[in-house]
Structures are given as structure tokens and as C-alpha cells.
Amino acid sequence: SRNEVANDPSLGDFGFEIIEHFQNVDINPAAHRESVFFMIALEARDQLRQLMAWQLSQLFAIVPLVLTGGWDHTENFLNYYDIFVRHGFGNFVNILREVTFNPLMAENLTFQDSKSGSYLFETTGSYTHADENYARELMQLFTIGVFLLNDDGTKMLNENGEPIPTFSNDEVMSFARVFTGFVQSQPRGNFEENDSSWNAIDELIVDPIYHDKFPKHDLTGGYIGDGYPLCVDLPSRMFLRKGATYRLLGDSPRPHAFIDEGTPMNDGPARVFELGENSRLREILCNSVNGSCQFQMTVTLDSNIECDTKECQVDEARVLKVHDVYYEYIRPPCVEQVFFNDSKKVTYKNSFRHSSCANPLLPHAAEACCTEGNGGTLTATRYTEYVFDHERVNFSAANVRCSRDGLSQCDFNFVQGDGVVGLHWTNSACQIAIKVNPEGKVAIVYEAMANIIHPNVHKDNMNYFKVYWNGDFPRNSLDENGGNSCGNGECSPLEDGGCFCYIEVDEEAVFSKMPRTDEVLSKLYIGAYDPLTYNDDMFSKEFGEGVIAYLAGGAYSSSTVFEVEDSFGRVRLMKNSIETVRVKNSEYSFRNAPSFMSLLNEESAERDALNEVNALVDHLLYHQNTAPFIASRLIQRFATSNPDPIYVSSVAKSFRTGKYGSLGSGKYGDLAATVSAILLDPGSQSAVLDADPYHGSIREPLTKALHVLRSMEIKLENGKKVLENHFPFTERIFQMAHSFPSVFSFFLPENIPSGRPGEAELTSPEAMLTDMPKIINMLNGLFSAIKYGVSRCNNGFGRGDNESNCQEGNFTDAVARLSFDSQFSDANDVVTELSTLLTGGRLGVQNKQIVIEAYISKLPDKEAGMRIAQQLIISSPEFQSSNTVVKNGQPRLPLPDPQPKGVPYKAVVYIMLTGGADSFNMLVPMRCSTYYDYIRIRRGVEQRTNSLLKLDATDSNQTCSFYGLHSKLKTAEQLYNSRDLLFFANAGVLTKPTDKHSYAKDTLSRLFAHNHMQREIQHLDPHLVDARTGVLGRMSDALTREGLKVHRFNIHDRAEGLEGNYRPDPFIVDASGIPLFNENPSTTDMLENIK
């Protein structure tokens, strides 16, 4: 793995050595990753980088519970975590890209092995949508959040004063199609896994066969492919021009970037593209030193070069041979418009395989040359002087080649001879049509004289995508939303809804004179190549205000290229052209849609799939929300839970500009500049903030514990060199590196706690881990470390069974101890130094005096005084939070112990599954027409009746006489049959009946964000009768008003569903009960001092 180093034998048997199983390891291997984290946190000198990595890892959380080998592996987790160490002061885009291609994230958010609906339709005949998990969380958690933001992090509001969503499920489904085809790299040796079928270390690859090939719309009214140049506009022989890139393959001609059908691993095709001895390209790729080639992994041309012999005959290079080594040509990122005129049929060497239609201007197929008028069964051959077997040419070049052999292209039956691979051009025309569904989305249909049309473009395909109609669109009058007779009869109605239409494409120039920068960016959608890659006489320049126009032929036309700089500082090259797709003989039209992927399976390329993924990452990176969203999240992690808008704006500016003062690279997304702004901006440093009760935050448990261990100078005992397998923080304080409970990390950024902060609508993410069991566990563990060293004494953080020497100050059996010893002798100086180290000098006067008196009471035993002082300071609010504490002088009233009544009670138990239940497959309608609706909706993942447990509903007024229960829910079946269980179905948080077209205006519910839905299902208050209460809390309030005694409690953590208006407040217990606090205090009055 990256930056991997060898194990150090001097550290003893710590480390993993993989042969067949773990050797010389007597602990759970997963504990190694925790030990690595601890040793770095306690000893590394780059603490700010390490803290940045820790906070970034919480934004991009990985949940071990859902991973293969999640609990017993180390290397794959460290490999993932190192992304944040490497790029903590680097650029945010590198984190997004590496996380996207990491196998842990792919398994964590379930997009690994996701296949496109078109592939499944082609191979199985059924259509299933792509996995949506990563697409949703990439937006919600990693980049833009769920509401549009101003630069200062405040929410944008619509005309009704409501927050504006950043995305809908349409965008989730669109982006999900980008993340199809991701598969693991080939398994290999030399890493921590002996499963020969598994590789959780190396980056994922994208299999283009599984990747979705159709256009994907974006968040801003366009497509992901907008702004990229058209492949059809590539300069002639781009592989010899400035910017052309080559990647070394070695001794195998098999490419990685694209598919060459039939290429063997080592034995090359019959005819390869071998560069001639006088080739300038050959000279560059050879990179000769002292007469010997020094091949480089990647080579990019820095200027245009002349072609040599065979190179002059090639439209587009693929694999090239240089001496005995092969390079593959990586074409620059470009897109194809999915609709085009004058399409031609392409097919395989025999016409009985799938045929399709291709743009005649693109090099998509080889020539197929026939004798004119030979009649009967048409047999074709390749051009005798073709350059290499997998060579592609455009339709015009194919015609020229055939004519040179005295032949012509035809609609052949067979192609025979050498070099017959892939697709071949025919002279048969194609017709391109569309199906328009009731939502206005379209599916492409190809019509050609062929035995078989490819399923992706067959008339029965279901590959609908969004287009941007110029006004209305053809609508079937039989569809539920009404219609216009399929465009007043210009299109044909389809039996299953929607319309069938023939189309044509128009292109026109947008500007006839010099435009402004904002006009270029708002009205042009097609990108352009660098004009310097074309011939010197291709363009002339004209300068405007902030705009450079490159004029082809000296006049404004659809070939003109404009150069401008956008608001993110990016130089954009845009073509002065717009392509419009028109429904023939009608007024209906829409903008042509770009796609990175060719619709031809044979032209599917990993190169193009990777370009599409990178384009989506860039689209989200440069979204208006990303800078304020990331700024707000990181400010919460480093500084304050409720940042001032001016503070957020300053940090967001540093993210955008890549600068804070002189710090940073000056590039958008620079995290060094971002964290500098967070730590150095007046929003963090101003002295007046000490008096602001809104400033600061509760400190997270893990960093508090590490703070004590590091500042109090933890020292390993008994010859230990590595602190291994200690500190069970996951079980005790519910926070530990590599042990996230959910993709939302340990706490929610928008969490509003109970009590006065909640009444003031203040957020406190860390409050989710600040409840009675966790606070007691934390203090018990740290008290134990102070008094006994790292051990199990008095609920300490150590592991093992030995508690025989639990005497304060006796560290005999401890694996480590806190060794800090103050250089001062005066009590005030000692406590001041401890205050500086543990609270940043914020220990208040009253609390400081309490600590001084406790320290003095232990003298002359200075070590005992140090221990009591440390315990009291870490118990103080100044240590537990980053706020300045002001006491109100009022004693805290004790809560009376509840007294049992001796009468029976009733309980309502709410089991919160946090979104992990697929209710559609939990309870299924049976023996009624609704079951067929269920089958249609759940197509491909439905539960069949023979696998279900049957529930009799004949004595009810339900639609169905029987319902089916998932086969795993046998206990629920027993409870139902014994009349101890009921199902409430179709109950939720919507305020009125709605559909997918109208939900946004009909409800305040955020339907596509898990954390929002989790909150709303606990509140169940869609009409906002009492927005601060939960469903159980309101039940409790109603019972309290009736004079009944009600108590509310939750196991493990706070539940918003329990929030009500009456006391006592809900309390939280651990799964194992309530732990005792400080069983053996260092002084008899210690508890009073802590209070």
C-alpha cells in the first residue's frame, strides 16, 4: 500500500505477519489499527496534521460492521485513513477522488459491483435502478449538504421563507448511474489478506461494460458533460498534438483504458501499430539515454509533432509498439452528443450479431469493402493497407479506403480476412427516434435494417434520462397527467404510456459578436479544445473585456471559441454553438445531451468512465455550497459548534481562493489555507469571544482522553515499546478511530441538545456523546489512569484481569503511567501549569482555588497532590468544553430518588432501526391486486409469495385478505397470531397525499436525507404542532396531564422521540446498566469538590 514501511523487529511481536493466518499475535488483529492510531496521536510531532486527518475521517466515515473483515483487519483501514493524513494540508479534490475509488468506501456505501440498468436489461431483460447510497451521501455528507447556502453558511430561503433543497431524488438517481461498474482491482499478494478473491487495498477500477452509458443531468440545469469539448471536434490526429498522453503497458498489447476485442495478454494481434524508425513520437516515447530507451510510465506531448509514414494514415491511435514495448494512447476527456444526423449502421463481422447506429463523423468502426453489385450474400474485407487490427476510422475515411482498393462499402452479411475485429461501417442509413415518458424524460431508439438492434437502443429499452425541453413536450392523452395527443399527432402513442417521436438535430451559433463573460458562461454549454492544438492558421484572435475570441476563418461562427475565467478562477474554453434536437414536423425541441460514454458497447472505455466520474467530482467540488458547507463542518470540529456567519464566510473564502494571508497554494480547495483560517481568523481568536455564551463547544471524548495522556506525558512501563490493545474506547466512551457506528459518524452536525442550549436553538454535535454513562465511563477511566496507570482498576481503560494492585500510586501492573512532574513547588504555580496544559489557562478563579486547596491537603506527598489536582481539573467544565465558564452562584439541587409504588406499570418500547429496515420487503400484500403493483414497483428485488410467512387479515377491513411477512421475522409472526402485535403501515411524516412530482411543495419532509428522516420518524409531527417534542414525549405529556406518573429513558444515547414538555427529563442508561462513579476517591470530599 502507499507509503508502506516494513515492520520493525525491535518492537517485539507487535505487528502482523501474514502467511496463512496471523502469526505471533495474541490479540484481535483489529486492535492493531487502534494501537497505530494511539501511538501516532501520542508521539507524532505533526499533531495539527494528525488532528486534521482525524476530523476529516469523521466527515468520510467508514462503518466496520458492514464491511467484509471489518472487525479483524488493520492494513485496509490504515490505508484508507492515510488519505486524510496525506491530503490534510493538500487539496480537497484529492480526498474526494481517492475516497471515491477506495474499496472500503465502495463496500461501506454499497456501490461496489453496482451495474447499470441498461446492462441488466441487456443481460436479464429486467431493468433495475443503480445503487443510490454513495451518490446521496457524496452530496449530503461530503460536499454540498441538503440545503442551498449563502457564502456565510446561512440557508437560502425561497419566497415562502423555506430552505431550498440542494438536490432531489432525480439528481440522486442521475449521479448513482455514474457510480456503476466499480469493481475491485485484481487480488495480489503482499498485504494483510489471504483471500485470493479480495483486494481492499488498491483503488477500484471501472468496468465500462457495467457502467451506465447515457447522459446524466446535474444540479444546475445542465449535464455533467457540459463544458467538455466534443469528441467530434478533436483536431486531426490528436495523438500527435500538444497534450496527447501515453501510458506504458509493458510487453503486453492489452490496453487498460479501453476494450480491444480479442487482444491476447501477451501475443499481439496479427497487425500492430508499430512506430517507424524515423518517427518523432517513437523518439519521444523511447526517451533514449546513451542509446538505450528509458521508458516512462506516462508521457505527455508538450507540442505538436509531425506524422511519420503510417501515422499519417491513422485517425485515432490506440496501442502503439515502440521497440518491444507497448504504450496506450489516452484520448483527452471529451463527450459525444447522443443525438446526431446522418447516422449509419455499424455491425460485427457477421450481421447476425447486434447492430447499432453510429455518428459518421467519429472513428467508431473499421471499413468493410465489397465488390460493387455483387448481389446475393455480401461478403466484405478490410482495406488491404489498414494500419492495425483494432483501427477505427470515421465513415468518410472508410469510404476513401474502400475506393483505394477499387471497392465500396455495403450492408454486408460477413467480413472475412485478417484484422476482422470490432464493429464495421455499412452504407445503410439509420433512423434515430425517442420515447418520451409522462415526466418528459426520453429514451433513445435506433431503427435500422438489421436482424438484431442492440437492447440499449431497442424500441423496448427503459433507459430514460432527463432532457431540457424548450417549453412543453409530447404527452400521451391517456397518461395520468393529461396530454396533448402526443404532440398533436406528430408522435405516436405508446401502449404503456408516453409517446414515440422521430427527431432531427440543428446546430447554430449563439453569438455573432463579442459577448460578455457572464453571457459566455450562462449561454454556452459545449467546451472546446485549446486552440493551440490546431494548426497555426486555424484561428485568429480578437480581444474583449475579460473574453478572448478565437475566430475560425476570421468571422464569428459556430466554430468560434471563447476563452474566459469563471468565478472559481478556472480558465474555460467554450464553443460558440448550441445543438437543438427537434421532434420532426413539430414545435417541440430540447437541447442535445452530452455523454462521456459511447452508446456502442464496443467503444465503451474505462478512460471515458473515469472522465465522467472526475467530472461529477468537479461538479460537486465547484458547487456554490461546497466552500461554506466544508467550512462550517470543519469549524465545528476545530473551533465552535455555532460559528458566526462572518467567520464561516472568511473560512469559505480561504477554501475558494486557496489562501489565508500568505498561507496556502492559491488553488481552490486548499485545506492548508482553510485550516489556517479556522485557527487564525478573528472568529476564532478574538478575545471578546470569551464572553460570548454562543461561542465554543463541548469537547469530543476521544480528543479529551488523548489530551490528558499526551499532555500528562504517558510513559510505557515494563519494557513495552508499543501501546497495544488497550483503551477499549469503543465500548466505554463510544468513540474510537476506525470504529464509526454509522456513516453520520459519532454525532450529527445539526444536533440540538435538550435543556437551555436546545431552548436557544444552539447546535452541539458532541452533546450526543455527553450523557450520564459516557461521562462516568470517561472520568472513571481517566481517574484510574492517573491513580493506577493504564489498568482495569476501578473501571480503568486497561484490558486484562489483573486488579490485585489497585492501590493509588502503585503502578506495578500498569502497562503505562502518566509521568508528568511539575518543575514548580508552589501550589498556585503547579495548578496554573496544569491549567495551562489541560484547559489552555481557562480554569476559573473559583475552580482553581478548589484545586489548589485539594493539592495542598495532600502535601508533603507532592505526587498525591498532583493526582488529585489532575482529577479535579479534568472534572471541571473548563476541561470538558472550550467555553469560558461563568458560575451563577446557585447550588445545584439534588434530584430525589424515585420511590417504587408497588403497582404494575405499562411501557411503550420504541425500537429505532435508523433506516436499516426495508419495509417494502418486511410486510408484503398478498391475495389482492395490490400484490401486482408491489411486483411492478419492486421489480428485481421483490419477495415472492412462496418465501413469505402468511398473516391472516380476513377479519379486518384491509384491501388484502392475507399479507406476507419476511421469512426472518418468525417471532413477529407468532406475536401477530397470538394477537399481541399489530402493524401500522403507510404511517409517516407527509402532511398530505402527494406524488414524486409535487412532494417538494406539499411537505417539509426531507425525503432523501437519512438523518432528517430519522429525526422526523422520531418526532412524527408533520404539522409542527410542537416542533421540539418527539412522539413518545407527547404521549408522556398527555399521560402526565392525566395525573399519571411517567418516566422516560433511553438505552445507549439520547433519542429525540422522548423529548417532551414535562419533567423529569429523559435519562440515558448503558446497555449494561448505570456505572458507579469514582468508587475509591482520592479524598473523602472529592465528590463535593467536583460538584
Side-chain angles (χ1 to χ4, degrees):
S1 57
R2 279 188 203 180
N3 305 320
E4 183 176 356
V5 296
N7 291 329
D8 185 350
S10 70
L11 298 179
D13 60 3
F14 176 81
F16 34 79
E17 297 177 22
I18 307 304
I19 302 174
E20 293 182 356
H21 302 286
F22 286 91
Q23 304 294 315
N24 301 323
V25 174
D26 59 357
I27 57 175
N28 184 338
H32 285 307
R33 64 192 187 222
E34 298 180 3
S35 296
V36 170
F37 173 82
F38 261 114
M39 295 308 296
I40 291 174
L42 296 176
E43 295 185 354
R45 301 187 63 178
D46 58 342
Q47 283 298 289
L48 182 57
R49 176 185 291 276
Q50 298 300 331
L51 181 59
M52 184 68 162
W54 165 239
Q55 304 301 358
L56 288 168
S57 76
Q58 294 188 66
L59 295 182
F60 297 88
I62 292 290
V63 184
L65 187 62
V66 304
L67 302 179
T68 303
W71 288 114
D72 60 1
H73 284 74
T74 289
E75 188 177 2
N76 50 2
F77 283 86
L78 299 184
N79 180 61
Y80 178 76
Y81 192 89
D82 278 348
I83 295 172
F84 312 114
V85 178
R86 268 196 309 278
H87 302 301
F89 295 157
N91 199 286
F92 190 65
V93 69
N94 293 325
I95 291 177
L96 287 178
R97 286 182 176 146
E98 289 195 29
V99 165
T100 296
F101 284 91
N102 187 274
L104 290 193
M105 179 57 76
E107 187 177 5
N108 183 57
L109 288 177
T110 63
F111 66 97
Q112 179 177 301
D113 298 323
S114 176
K115 296 176 176 61
S116 68
S118 57
Y119 171 82
L120 294 172
F121 182 77
E122 176 185 345
T123 55
T124 69
S126 63
Y127 189 91
T128 303
H129 294 296
D131 188 284
E132 299 173 5
N133 258 355
Y134 188 67
R136 179 182 294 105
E137 308 309 357
L138 179 60
M139 291 187 284
Q140 179 186 344
L141 300 181
F142 303 163
T143 52
I144 63 174
V146 295
F147 296 114
L148 286 179
L149 302 176
N150 297 301
D151 282 348
D152 61 7
T154 57
K155 294 175 183 175
M156 289 185 178
L157 304 177
N158 61 20
E159 62 276 9
N160 298 321
E162 299 165 340
I164 304 170
T166 51
F167 61 88
S168 70
N169 205 48
D170 272 353
E171 286 71 53
V172 173
M173 294 175 71
S174 175
F175 294 173
R177 294 191 288 120
V178 176
F179 298 111
T180 51
F182 280 69
V183 297
Q184 286 191 354
S185 292
Q186 288 295 316
R188 61 173 174 85
N190 195 34
F191 68 89
E192 181 204 14
E193 180 55 49
N194 63 337
D195 184 344
S196 61
S197 65
W198 194 63
N199 183 347
I201 293 289
D202 298 322
E203 286 190 346
L204 299 169
I205 60 176
V206 183
D207 188 328
I209 297 299
Y210 301 145
H211 188 77
D212 187 276
K213 298 174 175 59
F214 293 89
K216 289 88 177 173
H217 70 274
D218 65 17
L219 295 165
T220 54
Y223 296 95
I224 295 171
D226 284 346
Y228 285 83
L230 300 180
C231 301
V232 76
D233 289 337
L234 273 168
S236 174
R237 288 186 287 279
M238 179 65 207
F239 67 95
L240 297 174
R241 296 182 181 269
K242 179 182 178 181
T245 299
Y246 295 86
R247 185 165 59 195
L248 182 66
L249 295 174
D251 61 359
S252 169
R254 176 173 289 184
H256 300 304
F258 44 83
I259 298 172
D260 271 353
E261 184 187 58
T263 300
M265 183 64 74
N266 293 309
D267 297 329
R271 196 179 295 188
V272 299
F273 187 6
E274 184 168 7
L275 301 180
E277 291 185 4
N278 297 321
S279 166
R280 174 61 179 149
L281 178 59
R282 182 178 188 266
E283 180 184 348
I284 293 170
L285 295 178
C286 171
N287 188 34
S288 177
V289 177
N290 297 324
S292 176
C293 290
Q294 303 297 312
F295 297 111
Q296 298 173 291
M297 292 300 297
T298 303
V299 178
T300 300
L301 301 185
D302 57 13
S303 63
N304 295 346
I305 60 177
E306 294 296 324
C307 63
D308 173 67
T309 58
K310 289 188 293 186
E311 297 166 10
C312 303
Q313 305 172 38
V314 173
D315 270 5
E316 182 173 272
R318 293 173 77 84
V319 175
L320 303 86
K321 187 176 183 181
V322 183
H323 295 280
D324 294 324
V325 167
Y326 295 91
Y327 274 92
E328 63 178 338
Y329 165 61
I330 309 298
R331 189 183 67 188
C334 63
V335 294
E336 298 181 18
Q337 301 280 45
V338 295
F339 298 101
F340 45 88
N341 293 326
D342 303 320
S343 60
K344 296 294 183 181
K345 187 178 78 172
V346 291
T347 191
Y348 286 95
K349 63 182 179 181
N350 71 70
S351 60
F352 299 105
R353 292 182 65 180
H354 290 153
S355 296
S356 194
C357 300
N359 188 336
L361 301 179
L362 287 168
H364 275 332
E367 67 286 343
C369 307
C370 304
T371 303
E372 290 188 24
N374 59 355
T377 299
L378 292 178
T379 301
T381 60
R382 293 288 306 271
Y383 169 50
T384 53
E385 298 297 323
Y386 75 88
V387 178
F388 58 98
D389 283 358
H390 294 95
E391 187 179 4
R392 270 78 159 162
V393 295
N394 62 36
F395 181 75
S396 175
N399 270 334
V400 170
R401 287 187 166 195
C402 288
S403 66
R404 287 175 179 169
D405 278 349
L407 305 174
S408 62
Q409 295 200 94
C410 64
D411 194 359
F412 58 84
N413 296 108
F414 299 97
V415 182
Q416 64 182 12
D418 296 331
V420 181
V421 291
L423 294 172
H424 296 263
W425 290 106
T426 75
N427 64 352
S428 179
C430 279
Q431 183 75 34
I432 300 180
I434 57 174
K435 297 194 299 183
V436 186
N437 74 6
E439 299 172 31
K441 294 180 179 179
V442 305
I444 300 171
V445 177
Y446 288 167
E447 292 185 346
M449 293 291 292
N451 291 325
I452 306 174
I453 288 290
H454 196 282
N456 282 349
V457 287
H458 190 271
K459 64 181 180 180
D460 295 329
N461 86 80
M462 301 291 289
N463 301 309
Y464 286 96
F465 57 90
K466 184 174 183 176
V467 297
Y468 297 95
W469 291 92
N470 299 311
D472 200 4
F473 57 88
R475 291 179 286 123
N476 191 326
S477 296
L478 299 179
D479 292 337
E480 58 182 342
N481 291 330
N484 52 27
S485 300
C486 281
N488 300 315
E490 297 300 337
C491 301
S492 305
L494 295 169
E495 290 183 5
D496 56 352
C499 303
F500 181 88
C501 314
Y502 291 102
I503 59 91
E504 57 191 0
V505 181
D506 294 338
E507 181 189 15
E508 60 183 342
V510 177
F511 300 109
S512 58
K513 61 181 180 179
M514 181 68 74
R516 301 188 308 270
T517 298
D518 63 305
E519 290 178 319
V520 170
L521 293 172
S522 63
K523 295 183 179 181
L524 298 182
Y525 303 98
I526 301 172
Y529 292 100
D530 182 353
L532 296 179
T533 62
Y534 293 84
N535 297 334
D536 294 339
D537 59 353
M538 177 76 177
F539 293 101
S540 60
K541 281 187 183 181
E542 187 173 302
F543 294 88
E545 188 174 345
V547 183
I548 301 175
Y550 296 87
L551 308 178
Y556 285 92
S557 68
S558 60
S559 298
T560 299
V561 174
F562 295 108
E563 179 180 328
V564 297
E565 185 175 298
D566 67 14
S567 60
F568 298 103
R570 295 178 296 176
V571 174
R572 308 293 299 277
L573 294 167
M574 305 300 294
K575 185 181 180 183
N576 185 34
S577 168
I578 189 166
E579 293 188 12
T580 302
V581 180
R582 303 187 186 280
V583 174
K584 284 187 175 181
N585 305 315
S586 80
E587 61 185 13
Y588 303 105
S589 66
F590 56 85
R591 176 163 71 89
N592 209 345
S595 177
F596 286 91
M597 304 295 293
S598 172
L599 297 189
L600 302 171
N601 267 9
E602 296 69 20
E603 295 304 295
S604 296
E606 183 184 23
R607 165 200 65 200
D608 301 329
L610 294 177
N611 289 336
E612 185 169 67
V613 174
N614 287 331
L616 175 55
V617 168
D618 283 347
H619 177 62
L620 295 174
L621 177 72
Y622 290 102
H623 190 278
Q624 67 180 57
N625 258 41
T626 303
F629 179 80
I630 296 301
S632 298
R633 290 294 183 264
L634 289 177
I635 289 172
Q636 281 191 316
R637 305 286 1 105
F638 277 93
T640 179
S641 296
N642 298 274
D644 179 87
I646 297 175
Y647 184 20
V648 174
S649 181
S650 175
V651 176
K653 180 181 178 182
S654 292
F655 184 93
R656 280 200 178 95
T657 63
K659 279 286 187 181
Y660 184 76
S662 62
L663 302 172
S665 66
K667 295 181 179 179
Y668 180 93
D670 187 285
L671 292 175
T674 304
V675 76
S676 297
I678 292 171
L679 299 176
L680 301 177
D681 191 82
S684 172
Q685 293 292 318
S686 177
V688 300
L689 296 172
D690 290 341
D692 185 354
Y694 287 79
H695 185 73
S697 62
I698 294 174
R699 300 178 66 201
E700 59 182 327
L702 183 58
T703 54
K704 286 189 294 188
L706 291 171
H707 181 185
V708 172
L709 299 177
R710 186 177 173 96
S711 64
M712 293 298 101
E713 300 176 7
I714 188 170
K715 176 184 177 183
L716 294 170
E717 297 285 296
N718 302 318
K720 289 279 186 181
K721 295 184 179 180
V722 176
L723 193 59
E724 54 180 285
N725 196 35
H726 291 284
F727 303 110
F729 283 173
T730 301
E731 301 90 344
R732 300 288 296 283
I733 62 174
F734 297 94
Q735 191 180 30
M736 184 58 204
H738 313 299
S739 297
F740 294 98
S742 82
V743 294
F744 299 105
S745 186
F746 301 104
F747 26 68
L748 298 175
E750 67 273 12
N751 177 61
I752 297 176
S754 304
R756 295 180 66 184
E759 293 168 2
E761 293 293 318
L762 294 177
T763 59
S764 180
E766 296 83 359
M768 294 182 70
L769 293 185
T770 309
D771 55 57
M772 179 172 57
K774 297 180 184 66
I775 292 172
I776 292 175
N777 282 334
M778 167 67 78
L779 290 176
N780 280 344
L782 291 178
F783 284 4
S784 176
I786 291 168
K787 293 190 291 185
Y788 316 111
V790 178
S791 71
R792 290 192 61 194
C793 290
N794 294 156
N795 296 308
F797 284 143
R799 298 183 190 268
D801 300 321
N802 192 344
E803 298 185 47
S804 59
N805 292 308
C806 293
Q807 298 176 6
E808 184 169 342
N810 184 340
F811 306 109
T812 303
D813 293 327
V815 296
R817 57 169 296 201
L818 305 184
S819 65
F820 175 77
D821 184 18
S822 177
Q823 59 181 324
F824 300 106
S825 57
D826 180 76
N828 181 70
D829 292 339
V830 171
V831 174
T832 298
E833 185 177 20
L834 287 174
S835 171
T836 300
L837 293 171
L838 293 172
T839 72
R842 292 179 298 104
L843 194 62
V845 175
Q846 289 176 280
N847 286 346
K848 183 176 181 181
Q849 188 58 39
I850 291 172
V851 178
I852 289 173
E853 292 174 2
Y855 177 85
I856 292 173
S857 72
K858 288 292 187 178
L859 295 179
D861 188 344
K862 185 179 177 181
E863 291 185 358
M866 178 65 70
R867 291 193 295 271
I868 187 63
Q870 290 170 331
Q871 292 175 79
L872 290 176
I873 290 176
I874 66 173
S875 305
S876 70
E878 291 92 338
F879 174 78
Q880 300 292 333
S881 71
S882 62
N883 303 67
T884 297
V885 177
V886 179
K887 293 190 175 184
N888 61 16
Q890 299 297 319
R892 181 173 297 172
L893 298 177
L895 292 175
D897 293 333
Q899 300 299 316
K901 297 290 186 180
V903 297
Y905 71 92
K906 291 184 177 180
V908 175
V909 179
Y910 187 112
I911 300 174
M912 181 63 185
L913 298 177
T914 63
D918 181 356
S919 58
F920 272 99
N921 279 353
M922 183 181 291
L923 187 67
V924 177
M926 292 173 63
R927 295 193 187 178
C928 56
S929 60
T930 308
Y931 177 71
Y932 299 101
D933 292 335
Y934 163 81
I935 292 293
R936 177 178 55 82
I937 294 170
R938 299 292 286 179
R939 183 171 38 208
V941 293
E942 73 278 2
Q943 293 289 307
R944 292 291 177 173
T945 54
N946 58 2
S947 69
L948 296 168
L949 305 173
K950 293 179 181 176
L951 302 182
D952 189 340
T954 53
D955 60 350
S956 70
N957 60 356
Q958 295 295 317
T959 305
C960 304
S961 56
F962 283 86
Y963 287 82
L965 196 62
H966 194 282
S967 60
K968 298 289 186 180
L969 300 176
K970 293 181 179 179
T971 301
E973 177 197 28
Q974 295 169 5
L975 291 171
Y976 177 87
N977 290 335
S978 62
R979 309 185 75 82
D980 289 320
L981 181 144
L982 292 175
F983 286 93
F984 286 87
N986 298 325
V989 297
L990 297 180
T991 54
K992 64 179 182 180
T994 188
D995 57 31
K996 61 185 177 182
H997 307 290
S998 308
Y999 72 86
K1001 68 176 184 292
D1002 285 345
T1003 177
L1004 298 178
S1005 302
R1006 302 273 68 80
L1007 298 181
F1008 310 112
H1010 289 146
N1011 55 331
H1012 285 262
M1013 292 303 293
Q1014 289 171 14
R1015 286 193 65 200
E1016 293 197 26
I1017 202 64
Q1018 290 188 66
H1019 285 269
L1020 276 183
D1021 186 18
H1023 294 285
L1024 301 180
V1025 174
D1026 194 345
R1028 294 284 304 134
T1029 63
V1031 60
L1032 297 180
R1034 291 195 302 280
M1035 289 182 190
S1036 173
D1037 290 348
L1039 293 170
T1040 300
R1041 287 193 295 269
E1042 293 296 319
L1044 299 171
K1045 293 290 185 182
V1046 184
H1047 292 279
R1048 294 163 284 155
F1049 68 92
N1050 191 56
I1051 297 174
H1052 181 59
D1053 55 17
R1054 172 176 171 253
E1056 295 189 41
L1058 288 171
E1059 298 298 323
N1061 291 310
Y1062 291 94
R1063 292 187 181 276
D1065 289 331
F1067 62 93
I1068 298 169
V1069 299
D1070 203 341
S1072 57
I1074 302 174
L1076 293 174
F1077 173 59
N1078 197 17
E1079 290 184 67
N1080 294 299
S1082 296
T1083 62
T1084 56
D1085 61 348
M1086 189 173 176
L1087 184 58
E1088 290 302 316
N1089 284 333
I1090 291 174
K1091 290 181 179 180

